[in-house]
């Protein structure tokens, strides 16, 4: 299990290549990458604020839950903070399990919980001004399925 | 004495990232009432606590929770990670 909260970019290819290696019981690896997108055509950058200390603890707790519930061989969460340009990766999740259903479900569980339970706040920097991204009710509702 | 932290628009509205607060407040809600009575910027930030979340010693908590033994209180809007 690896958790990293960092401002620096991460190397998706290198992380993925080494993830879940050296184990004979891994039959499925799922990876997800979140990328800064521009819906309005006006976005200059996305700024992510976080709560140092709580962020690592909250992600650790969520990831441990996923490890236990889906009996994962390994799990990885990298989440960036700071100012990110459109097209830059924000975060990645990887899960390794015996079978694909567990790997997919655990990755979705991690994503749903990171959205609403990891202390990050997104601020959009647009050419026309700045705005905090509001939490979506659908993201909160998504937790109910777990 | 508790360390109070503010994040995102709560931090911007109050104009501080953190401060030490001398308080006898029994619960988070009591602390919110004390802070709101200080100045309009606090009152504005805490006007609608249903739009806010609170963490006690870095654990997500409720506004009705007691403050006894708590060292760090953080106020912030609903999280938008991922």
């Amino acid at each position: 299990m690896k958790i990293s909260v960092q401002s620096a970019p991460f190397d998706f290819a290198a992380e993925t290549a080494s993830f879940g290696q050296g184990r004979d019981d891994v039959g499925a690896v799922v990876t997800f990458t979140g990328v800064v997108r521009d819906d309005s055509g006006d976005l200059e950058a996305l700024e992510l604020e976080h709560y140092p200390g709580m962020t690592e603890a909250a992600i650790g707790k969520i990831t441990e839950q996923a490890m236990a519930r889906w009996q994962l061989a390994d799990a990885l969460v990298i989440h960036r903070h700071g100012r990110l340009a459109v097209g830059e990766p924000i975060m990645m999740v990887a899960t390794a399990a015996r079978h694909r259903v567990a790997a997919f479900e655990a990755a979705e569980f991690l994503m749903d919980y990171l959205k609403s339970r990891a202390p990050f706040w997104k601020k959009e920097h647009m050419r026309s001004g700045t705005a905090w991204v509001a939490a979506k009710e659908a993201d909160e509702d998504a937790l109910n399925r777990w | 004495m508790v360390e109070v932290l503010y994040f995102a628009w709560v931090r911007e509205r109050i104009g501080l990232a953190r401060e030490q607060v001398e308080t006898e407040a029994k619960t988070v809600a009591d602390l919110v009432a004390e802070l709101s009575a200080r100045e309009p910027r606090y009152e504005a930030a805490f006007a609608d606590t249903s739009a806010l979340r609170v963490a006690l010693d870095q654990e997500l908590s409720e506004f009705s929770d007691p403050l006894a033994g708590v060292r760090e209180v953080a106020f912030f809007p609903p999280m938008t990670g991922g």
Side-chain angles (χ1 to χ4, degrees), chain B residues 2-64:
Chain B
V2 288
E3 188 84 9
V4 183
L5 283 71
Y6 310 107
F7 291 97
W9 59 255
V10 183
R11 171 179 54 74
E12 289 181 341
R13 215 163 277 184
I14 292 173
L16 276 177
R18 60 166 66 215
E19 62 181 322
Q20 294 205 319
V21 176
E22 193 72 63
T23 180
E24 298 293 315
K26 295 270 185 289
T27 65
V28 176
D30 293 345
L31 176 63
V32 167
E34 276 183 19
L35 292 170
S36 297
R38 275 183 172 181
E39 284 178 54
R41 60 195 169 111
Y42 287 93
E43 201 182 351
F46 290 115
D48 177 13
T49 50
S50 72
L52 292 180
R53 301 289 178 269
V54 61
L56 301 180
D57 289 331
Q58 307 192 353
E59 286 269 353
L60 211 54
S61 304
E62 303 293 332
F63 282 82
S64 55

Side-chain angles (χ1 to χ4, degrees), chain A residues 2-3 8 18 20 32-33 35 42 81 84 86 106 120 140-141:
Chain A
K2 174 182 159 183
I3 286 154
S18 61
F32 171 85
T33 312
V35 177
D42 193 32
H81 59 88
L84 307 180
V86 174
F120 287 96
E140 189 65 33
D141 292 345

Side-chain angles (χ1 to χ4, degrees), chain A residues 49 51 120-123 132, chain B residues 8 11-12 72 77 80-82:
Chain A
E49 181 172 336
Y51 184 171
F120 287 96
W121 300 276
K122 293 188 181 119
K123 188 181 200 178
W132 289 98
Chain B
R11 171 179 54 74
E12 289 181 341
E72 189 172 293
T80 52

Side-chain angles (χ1 to χ4, degrees), chain A residues 38-93:
Chain A
D38 180 10
D39 285 336
S40 60
D42 193 32
L43 191 71
E44 286 185 324
L46 190 66
E47 186 185 341
L48 278 106
E49 181 172 336
H50 79 118
Y51 184 171
M54 181 175 168
T55 311
E56 292 81 357
I59 297 176
K61 225 165 89 177
I62 294 162
T63 310
E64 272 166 20
Q65 281 177 26
M67 292 279 295
R69 182 159 166 187
W70 283 278
Q71 298 187 307
L72 300 180
D74 204 358
L76 162 75
V77 178
I78 302 176
H79 206 306
R80 295 177 67 193
H81 59 88
R83 197 180 165 100
L84 307 180
V86 174
E88 274 195 76
I90 303 172
M91 53 89 62
M92 73 171 282
V93 154

